[in-house]
Amino acid sequence: MDEERRGTWFGFGFCGFGQALGSGLGRQVHSPEPLRTPGGSLDVCRVSASWSYTAFVTRGGRVQLSGAAGGTADGCTDAWASEELLVLLRAGPGAGAELQAWAPGSAMRGDPLWSQAVQEAEHGPSRDETQAGLLPLLPCARAYVSPRPPFYRPLAPTLRARRLELGAEHALLLDAAGQVFSWGAGRHGQLGHGTLEAEPEPRLLEALQGLRMAEVAAGGWHSVCLSETGDIYIWGWNESGQLALPTKSLAEDGKTTAEASGLEEDGSEVKRGSAGEDGAPAPFIAVQPFPALLDLSPGSEAVKVSCGSRHTAVLTSEWGKYGQLGHKDTTTLDRPCRVEYFVDKQLQVRTVSCGPWNTYVYAVEKEKS
Amino acid sequence: MPSSRGSSQPRDQTHVSDISRLGRWVLSTSATWEAIYIDIDGLVLYIYIFIYMYIFVCSYTYFPLAPIRLSCLARWRAQHAWETLQALLPHTKEELKLELGEKVEGSVLMLLQEAADLFLGGQRRECLQTCEVLLDYSWEKLNTGPWQDVDKDWRRVYAFGCLLKAVCLCEPPGDATSVAAALKACDMGLLMGAAILGDILLKVAAVLQKHLLSGKRPAPGPSQEPPGTKKARNDHVPIPDVTTERTVPRLHCPSLQYFKKHFLVPGRPVILEGVANHWPCMKKWSLEYIQEVAGCRTVPVEVGSRYTDEEWSQTLMTVNEFISKYIREEPKDIGYLAQHQLFDQIPELKQDISIPDYCCLGDGEEEEITINAWFGPQGTVSPLHQDPQQNFLAQVMGRKYIRLYSPQESEALYPHDTHLLHNTSQVDVENPDLEKFPRFAEAPFLSCVLSPGEVLFIPVKHWHYVRALDLSFSVSFWWS
């Protein structure tokens, strides 16, 4: 692992508010483009994208906003962007850190909407790089931030939270033992407990019990997690194919999973998986309330996953209307598709971070072997 | 029948008898042509006028010269529709503005402003792009949280996007496909959005619908196909033997006080006769009429035998598609246009029904009464369930078998314990699993076959099960 080789951030997808996304021209970027963040080449270590703006956190502790909201702030270790709030973690007065919530339009000038002193993490140095990217989970792992009041939400200490992700109406938590918990609204199966009922408190995902998870990610109405062995489990709403399962909306347009290639030429009568004539049910999945194992191309191991509002990036699927799938067009997909750009340019992707309608990727050049 | 043999005869000897009947009529009514003065010039002029009048007459009846009729007159109508639309819409920024609360973020307000500016500036394509962004974002908000908790402002934003999208789509030159797409956008705004700019979506939809239908003539009078006799896929309609069951009592036009004392207050079901049988819908409504008034409008349809099934789903389609797919042709699935406020979407249909007078016995306002349409083929089933309001169910087309259980029997009906289905029984009424639900067999009930013209009073929280015995159209009134 070559730490000195700095990589570059790329972005693609919706940038209708002018948020830094490659060239930033027009409303959408369909193919990955290197970021040209304002203020020259910044040493960005974390990207947190909301719908109308993106927050970049540099290793030097600077937070830069781009898009409908602007401004910079120093002395920050982490940032988390949402439409309602911009949350910053700053080195506060004294030893501890300070959690600040700003209105995005304030450009971080004046006073924050509210602020709170928080404990540092129990283990690890406070300025460790790995601290960046924990938000909305607070470093002490005893609470998390929500864009809706109450903003500060405590977590039971027994949970030993390692990572926390928020969807449109649910939350996912990964604990130190690699177990996944979920709570919130469940009407689209995003909690993974097999029902459509809501859960008021964190509830363990029994279907994944015993499997050690390394990462979790929450999209608008779907959830993904990655096991330590590189398997991907995915569940929730599949209306745009974000679960990489066949979706009815695409079938009606004749573009769903090809059992045979060359589907588009056929054009007519795409009765997908139908068997419908003799009464066999069409295999469209609208909602997947239990975790399902995602089959990527054999031999590949997923190491990072991130979810947008209706798309998933590991190497994958779904809602492509604003180009956030990076395949040079705006087709929506319900099967995993490799973003060829990075293969063509001999780049190795290190991390991926999705905004609601766009995707940011950090890649380094491959070692010449 | 005179035959025209004009071509085989020398022109200067064409006889009046050889001219077609239509031609003779044309000549006879054409005041400037009194003298049948047949010579070369006259003949040419006659032919010219004949063709002109032929086209004129053909445009108002179904003749094979339709292509000529469509291209000229349709373009004229498209222009006319567009002008009517332009007159409906605001022309200034101040008028094209929505009053929105704090929930709508500044970024969205920016987009709304941008869309309005692009629209007023005539930049159709860019306006459409901005509308798509607005629609996608507000759609996400509409899908976050329970529907009743969705902030009305997001629904207004959605409706606004639909409005501008619809108008941009049908800007001339508009062909039938783009007008249909524009009408669909209006319907989406009506279904999921909230009223804006003085119910403008309803007005735009009415103009677009009229334009789409302008080629067809309304079929006046009674339909060719009397409702309820549509040939069924299979003729085995298990009509329950209601003589062995206790039936719902029937009354002819009871007074308000009598109804209140004996049925409303004690919560007893009753069938009211003579109350709705004179509504215009009873004579007017048929498949043809419905297609004519609402055919191109988009509505939500439930697909699947009942909403408690796993394969049950909801989808959107036009009324024409619904009728052709789930009623006319051999349907593979059951489709049901159920629990839809069709009369808010298509005000013209509302004029064919009335609100039963007995609703005034309630506490609520007339505007708060929810009127739903229930339209589907034979065999649609609503599983045994209860509603939180009083209900008048008026039958318009076809018959329905209905079973009613008192709320006192709720335990014997085994409601689901999930929040989503807590008002629905687990028992399949006409095929109960008595091993799993033993108490169900003993629960007393009332039943009836509701026929066109009759109104069933279902008291609040009274459990009811409904199965359509024929192609059926019912109208329900939920009131308090």
Side-chain angles (χ1 to χ4, degrees):
Chain A
M1 196 93 95
D2 198 353
E3 289 293 358
E4 278 86 40
R5 227 172 357 114
R6 291 289 183 211
T8 333
W9 281 88
F10 298 80
F12 42 99
F14 176 72
C15 54
F17 290 93
Q19 52 265 64
L21 210 64
S23 55
L25 290 171
R27 211 184 277 276
Q28 308 165 10
V29 175
H30 293 175
S31 196
E33 287 187 27
L35 283 190
R36 252 162 266 154
T37 48
S41 60
L42 294 180
D43 224 350
V44 173
C45 65
R46 189 191 178 181
V47 176
S48 175
S50 180
W51 179 62
S52 66
Y53 71 101
T54 308
F56 300 94
V57 185
T58 72
R59 288 186 180 83
R62 164 170 281 213
V63 166
Q64 178 100 41
L65 299 186
S66 160
T72 61
D74 286 311
C76 305
T77 52
D78 201 0
W80 186 71
S82 76
E83 285 305 294
E84 299 93 335
L85 284 185
L86 168 66
V87 179
L88 297 180
L89 202 58
R90 290 176 110 149
E98 200 191 14
L99 185 71
Q100 293 180 340
W102 295 82
S106 67
M108 296 175 286
R109 281 195 282 272
D111 288 323
L113 289 176
W114 60 268
S115 63
Q116 180 141 352
V118 290
Q119 286 175 295
E120 284 298 335
E122 282 157 9
H123 4 267
S126 54
R127 285 298 193 101
D128 192 339
E129 241 188 87
T130 56
Q131 287 298 319
L134 273 193
L135 278 182
L137 182 66
L138 296 178
C140 57
R142 293 288 166 83
Y144 66 100
V145 189
S146 164
R148 288 176 282 277
F151 302 123
Y152 183 88
R153 300 192 182 192
L155 287 169
T158 48
L159 283 174
R160 294 184 302 146
R162 187 152 50 112
R163 276 224 59 130
L164 185 139
E165 288 265 324
L166 295 179
E169 40 183 14
H170 75 296
L172 286 181
L173 185 148
L174 180 68
D175 78 354
Q179 300 297 290
V180 180
F181 294 77
S182 68
W183 67 99
R187 291 160 328 115
H188 298 287
Q190 63 264 55
L191 298 181
H193 302 299
T195 68
L196 301 178
E197 298 285 300
E199 292 287 336
E201 293 296 323
R203 180 177 158 186
L204 177 66
L205 237 75
E206 280 125 17
L208 300 175
Q209 206 164 12
L211 296 166
R212 289 186 68 99
M213 295 295 148
E215 302 264 345
V216 288
W221 297 270
H222 68 296
S223 313
V224 190
C225 65
L226 237 50
S227 75
E228 286 182 350
T229 51
D231 291 324
I232 305 171
Y233 294 86
I234 195 162
W235 63 97
W237 203 11
N238 190 43
E239 52 81 34
S240 297
Q242 53 265 55
L243 307 188
L245 296 168
T247 180
K248 200 158 186 205
S249 57
L250 287 179
E252 275 155 15
D253 298 338
K255 290 186 208 111
T256 193
T257 319
E259 279 165 354
S261 56
L263 202 57
E264 278 70 29
E265 294 106 348
D266 185 62
S268 64
E269 211 59 59
V270 184
K271 291 283 161 110
R272 282 284 87 214
S274 228
E277 297 305 319
D278 45 79
F284 300 122
I285 313 270
V287 162
Q288 174 72 27
F290 274 117
L293 181 58
L294 179 61
D295 248 332
L296 288 184
S297 42
S300 63
E301 271 181 21
V303 291
K304 191 81 174 83
V305 64
S306 181
C307 296
S309 166
R310 293 188 260 167
H311 74 290
T312 311
V314 173
L315 298 174
T316 345
S317 356
E318 330 59 31
W319 194 47
K321 191 167 167 185
Y322 295 95
Q324 62 265 51
L325 304 186
H327 301 301
K328 293 203 197 89
D329 58 16
T330 56
T331 342
T332 298
L333 295 171
D334 61 1
R335 58 193 156 88
C337 239
R338 192 164 62 171
V339 181
E340 296 298 335
Y341 178 87
F342 298 103
V343 178
D344 295 340
K345 300 252 175 184
Q346 300 279 315
L347 292 165
Q348 190 173 40
V349 176
R350 285 289 171 79
T351 189
V352 60
S353 175
C354 292
W357 293 3
N358 47 30
T359 310
Y360 290 91
V361 170
Y362 181 71
V364 298
E365 280 172 18
K366 271 201 185 135
E367 283 179 7
K368 318 230 180 334
S369 55
Chain B
M1 175 95 73
S3 64
S4 53
R5 291 177 285 135
S7 56
S8 58
Q9 283 193 341
R11 289 218 179 157
D12 52 356
Q13 278 183 18
T14 312
H15 295 287
V16 171
S17 61
D18 292 338
I19 301 170
S20 73
R21 261 195 311 180
L22 186 57
R24 259 185 291 160
W25 176 84
V26 166
L27 286 176
S28 67
T29 55
S30 157
T32 55
W33 292 92
E34 288 147 8
I36 311 293
Y37 188 62
I38 308 298
D39 63 20
I40 299 287
D41 298 316
L43 189 63
V44 167
L45 198 48
Y46 157 68
I47 292 171
Y48 186 87
I49 291 192
F50 173 77
I51 292 173
Y52 182 85
M53 295 213 62
Y54 189 73
I55 294 173
F56 186 75
V57 170
C58 287
S59 69
Y60 287 96
T61 58
Y62 262 130
F63 263 88
L65 276 183
I68 300 178
R69 162 171 67 84
L70 275 178
S71 68
C72 307
L73 289 163
R75 263 205 298 274
W76 174 80
R77 286 201 192 92
Q79 187 61 29
H80 184 66
W82 178 245
E83 281 160 10
T84 321
L85 274 184
Q86 288 288 76
L88 274 177
L89 292 159
H91 301 292
T92 63
K93 266 198 217 180
E94 291 72 39
E95 290 173 328
L96 199 57
K97 211 169 144 71
L98 292 183
E99 289 304 316
L100 296 170
E102 295 177 340
K103 288 278 173 158
V104 179
E105 299 116 12
S107 43
V108 178
L109 293 176
M110 271 169 51
L111 278 186
L112 286 167
Q113 187 66 60
E114 184 184 307
D117 290 341
L118 289 169
F119 177 74
L120 292 169
Q123 290 165 280
R124 175 162 74 138
R125 211 155 43 100
E126 291 82 356
C127 181
L128 274 174
Q129 281 177 352
T130 312
C131 285
E132 285 300 325
V133 177
L134 277 170
L135 288 174
D136 282 321
Y137 192 70
S138 53
W139 182 91
E140 293 191 355
K141 295 293 183 192
L142 262 48
N143 277 280
T144 305
W147 178 250
Q148 50 265 40
D149 293 348
V150 171
D151 199 293
K152 214 162 181 188
D153 280 343
W154 286 118
R155 295 176 59 191
R156 290 196 185 98
V157 172
Y158 187 81
F160 189 81
C162 288
L163 171 69
L164 294 192
K165 177 176 177 179
V167 180
C168 286
L169 279 177
C170 63
E171 208 175 298
D175 62 347
T177 330
S178 49
V179 175
L183 184 55
K184 176 155 190 211
C186 280
D187 278 331
M188 292 306 295
L190 286 168
L191 287 173
M192 306 233 288
I196 50 166
L197 302 174
D199 274 323
I200 195 170
L201 277 173
L202 278 175
K203 298 175 189 158
V204 173
V207 171
L208 291 176
Q209 190 175 351
K210 214 162 115 188
H211 172 60
L212 263 185
L213 285 177
S214 58
K216 303 194 191 130
R217 303 216 59 212
S223 66
Q224 271 68 18
E225 234 167 310
T229 61
K230 185 90 195 81
K231 53 181 185 296
R233 289 167 283 144
N234 58 341
D235 291 336
H236 287 296
V237 179
I239 300 179
D241 184 7
V242 291
T243 55
T244 59
E245 302 174 344
R246 281 180 59 219
T247 52
V248 179
R250 287 160 180 270
L251 282 183
H252 184 86
C253 292
S255 70
L256 289 175
Q257 295 90 325
Y258 191 91
F259 171 77
K260 181 174 179 179
K261 180 174 173 192
H262 291 94
F263 299 98
L264 177 59
V265 168
R268 294 213 183 93
V270 62
I271 293 181
L272 303 169
E273 294 171 342
V275 167
N277 55 335
H278 292 305
W279 291 357
C281 60
M282 301 300 170
K283 285 214 167 66
K284 269 169 104 178
W285 287 8
S286 64
L287 280 181
E288 287 75 21
Y289 178 81
I290 291 165
Q291 282 193 275
E292 173 203 313
V293 171
C296 44
R297 305 301 296 270
T298 302
V299 290
V301 170
E302 301 179 357
V303 180
S305 36
R306 52 198 76 199
Y307 68 77
T308 40
D309 278 355
E310 260 191 23
E311 290 85 39
W312 182 88
S313 67
Q314 280 182 300
T315 183
L316 294 168
M317 61 182 74
T318 65
V319 171
N320 282 336
E321 284 165 355
F322 170 68
I323 290 178
S324 83
K325 193 167 174 190
Y326 293 102
I327 294 183
R328 285 202 198 279
E329 291 159 14
E330 295 269 323
K332 284 173 245 165
D333 291 313
I334 302 237
Y336 196 9
L337 206 181
Q339 198 174 323
H340 175 53
Q341 294 178 36
L342 189 66
F343 308 96
D344 289 343
Q345 188 187 3
I346 308 173
E348 188 180 341
L349 280 176
K350 201 166 182 180
Q351 298 174 358
D352 294 337
I353 59 171
S354 321
I355 298 189
D357 293 331
Y358 306 91
C359 291
C360 74
L361 295 168
D363 307 315
E365 301 286 330
E366 189 171 299
E367 298 85 50
E368 290 165 355
I369 297 178
T370 307
I371 309 177
N372 275 315
W374 305 78
F375 176 39
Q378 170 197 88
T380 59
V381 167
S382 293
L384 188 63
H385 69 284
Q386 56 178 191
D387 296 315
Q389 286 188 286
Q390 316 279 6
N391 185 359
F392 280 124
L393 182 66
Q395 193 64 15
V396 181
M397 282 165 58
R399 300 161 302 158
K400 277 188 161 147
Y401 171 68
I402 302 173
R403 227 196 252 193
L404 297 154
Y405 290 80
S406 161
Q408 294 167 340
E409 308 300 327
S410 296
E411 282 184 18
L413 304 179
Y414 303 91
H416 285 85
D417 52 12
T418 62
H419 174 72
L420 210 59
L421 290 175
H422 72 279
N423 67 340
T424 306
S425 160
Q426 298 180 62
V427 187
D428 181 356
V429 165
E430 291 187 282
N431 192 15
D433 182 346
L434 292 171
E435 284 180 16
K436 223 170 148 190
F437 311 115
R439 290 181 60 186
F440 182 75
E442 301 310 315
F445 61 88
L446 294 174
S447 70
C448 64
V449 170
L450 195 67
S451 300
E454 300 175 346
V455 176
L456 171 66
F457 168 61
I458 304 178
V460 58
K461 293 282 190 180
H462 229 80
W463 295 87
H464 48 289
Y465 165 89
V466 184
R467 175 163 66 88
L469 303 175
D470 313 303
L471 164 68
S472 155
F473 201 128
S474 320
V475 181
S476 67
F477 301 84
W478 287 345
W479 56 287
S480 299

